[in-house]
Amino acid sequence: MQSRSLGLIGTMSIGIGGIVGGGIFATLGLAGEQARGATTISFLIGCLVALCTAYSYVKLSIAYPSKGGTVTFLNEAFGESLLAGSCNTMLVASYVALIAVYASAFATYGAILFPAETRPFWQSALANVILVSLAFVNFLGPGLVDRSEGLFNVGKLGILALFVLVGLFAGDLDLARLGPANWVGPADIVAGGMLVFISYEGFELIANASDRVKNREVTLPRAYYGSVLGAMVFYIFIIVVAFGHLSFEQLAAARDYSLAAAAREFMGETGFVILALGAMLATASAVNSDFFGASKLPVAMAEEGEFPRRYDREVWGRHPMGLALISVLALLSVNMLNLHALSAAASAGFLMVFAMVNFANAKLAVKTGSKRWLCVVAGVLCLTALAIMIVQMARDPDHGAEVWCIVALAVAPFCYQMVYRRLKQKR
């Protein structure tokens, strides 16, 4: 029997560590470009969607504690069906896109430390190096991942706290940019919030450790809701500082490294370098932890008959096939797609998966002690927000690639599961 070793602080640290860090560095510029002065509203909308979904995760994690997390929840609700298999495959694809987002952001922040003429080379090289390096770290063993992740978390949270504290008390903080005069239309505000939804999805990692949590009925609700709300408060302060020191024109010019550009305004070149290094630390942390979590998904799916059994094979006490699959797909993604397309695909994928988790909890409401209507509303909220984001992107000719990425992410898992199940039946 699995020992219960995680209390509130340990469980909450998984959620906060998964949420705060890589996402805000990678997507703040994208959100600001979309929502402008209403960026705080966009992040609050993302928080609302996350909190509604966290309700289902709380109930499901208490009723079905396991290392399988989302995979277990969907299979409990929908059985060994094409629907469950497709959703679980979509979760794998979403993590691939998410890892590629963080690798791309790592490379962008790293490249700005080099001369302008060499940045394209460094951006490509750093993205590939971080993926290969941290895939190797994950292969060496979970103990090394835990030790490195603890250092990553302390470093990234410390640098973000420094950014907020110095920025709030520095002179020339212009809060007028966040006023209603600079807000965009409601649809663009929602679209901005969903584009950066990956900044909140990290609470899902708590589910994978739910079988090790002590006093689940009390600890899990506090950990899930506390992680999301704590991240939201941190994000609001970060947005206030960034937009208080950076004009919209400056934000557009430094979209992919907006926090470092903002730090330069009130901390000089030293602040610029510190935030760039902090961003690299945070995004490396995100790649590291998501490799660790995502590589377990093919193993769990192989046990459920949704992936080939070779993904469940052990080599030196590890399951390398899942890690290899995630790594190769992430390398292909980061070399073929830009940050905006990757962020849109990752956010859309998690919104679709979270919608199905909410519907799964609605189906299991009697067993989980949930309010069915709230689960249905949460699922519809996820899909509505996703639809608004897609419509807004479709209206912009420059974002056609993003729409096709989302369509591919929705369709490819279904096609894969359908073909795989037919081939398995013929054996």
Side-chain angles (χ1 to χ4, degrees), residues 174-382:
D174 183 5
L175 300 183
R177 296 190 189 102
L178 296 173
N182 293 308
W183 291 9
V184 294
D188 279 319
I189 294 174
V190 174
M194 294 308 99
L195 184 62
V196 299
F197 187 69
I198 57 171
S199 297
Y200 287 105
E201 61 74 35
F203 70 84
E204 189 258 354
L205 295 173
I206 294 175
N208 298 329
S210 57
D211 61 331
R212 296 190 289 123
V213 174
K214 296 181 288 187
N215 195 12
R216 295 187 191 108
E217 290 76 8
V218 175
T219 301
L220 286 172
R222 293 176 179 176
Y224 274 111
Y225 300 135
S227 298
V228 176
L229 291 172
M232 180 202 71
V233 172
F234 208 9
Y235 288 159
I236 296 303
F237 279 118
I238 290 171
I239 293 167
V240 166
V241 171
F243 283 72
H245 290 282
L246 212 59
S247 69
F248 294 123
E249 292 73 25
Q250 290 172 311
L251 180 74
R255 184 185 71 175
D256 293 339
Y257 54 94
S258 55
L259 286 184
R264 175 186 272 156
E265 295 297 309
F266 59 88
M267 295 172 68
E269 286 302 317
T270 300
F272 180 81
V273 172
I274 289 174
L275 261 293
L277 293 175
M280 295 177 72
L281 193 67
T283 49
S285 165
V287 172
N288 194 43
S289 60
D290 285 341
F291 259 141
F292 184 63
S295 63
K296 295 179 180 179
L297 294 175
V299 179
M301 293 174 66
E303 293 172 351
E304 298 288 344
E306 296 167 348
F307 258 33
R309 292 298 304 180
R310 61 177 172 271
Y311 287 98
D312 190 30
R313 293 174 187 164
E314 287 192 11
V315 176
W316 301 335
R318 301 172 180 84
H319 300 87
M321 287 297 297
L323 180 60
L325 174 68
I326 301 296
S327 303
V328 170
L329 292 177
L331 283 166
L332 290 173
S333 298
V334 81
N335 284 287
M336 295 174 62
L337 299 170
N338 61 38
L339 181 60
H340 194 282
L342 290 168
S343 181
S347 292
F350 278 103
L351 282 168
M352 287 185 277
V353 171
F354 285 174
M356 293 310 301
V357 170
N358 283 310
F359 294 141
N361 193 34
K363 190 171 186 294
L364 297 168
V366 174
K367 295 180 179 179
T368 62
S370 304
K371 296 179 180 178
R372 182 174 282 110
W373 67 268
L374 183 55
C375 305
V376 172
V377 168
V380 171
L381 183 62
C382 289

Side-chain angles (χ1 to χ4, degrees), residues 16-26 99 101-113 126 130 134 145 147-162 259-260 272-290:
I16 291 179
I19 296 172
V20 177
I24 192 71
F25 282 108
I99 290 169
V101 166
Y102 295 144
S104 178
F106 174 90
T108 298
Y109 276 94
I112 62 175
L113 299 176
L126 288 171
I130 194 64
L134 292 182
V145 173
R147 289 192 293 273
S148 61
E149 193 58 24
L151 293 174
F152 280 146
N153 281 334
V154 171
K156 71 182 181 184
L157 292 175
I159 289 174
L160 282 171
L162 176 68
L259 286 184
F272 180 81
V273 172
I274 289 174
L275 261 293
L277 293 175
M280 295 177 72
L281 193 67
T283 49
S285 165
V287 172
N288 194 43
S289 60
D290 285 341

Side-chain angles (χ1 to χ4, degrees), residues 71-72 75-76 79-81 88 298-307 309 421 424:
V71 173
T72 299
N75 287 336
E76 286 288 342
E80 296 181 7
S81 63
N88 289 330
V299 179
M301 293 174 66
E303 293 172 351
E304 298 288 344
E306 296 167 348
F307 258 33
R309 292 298 304 180
R421 287 163 188 265
K424 190 168 69 169

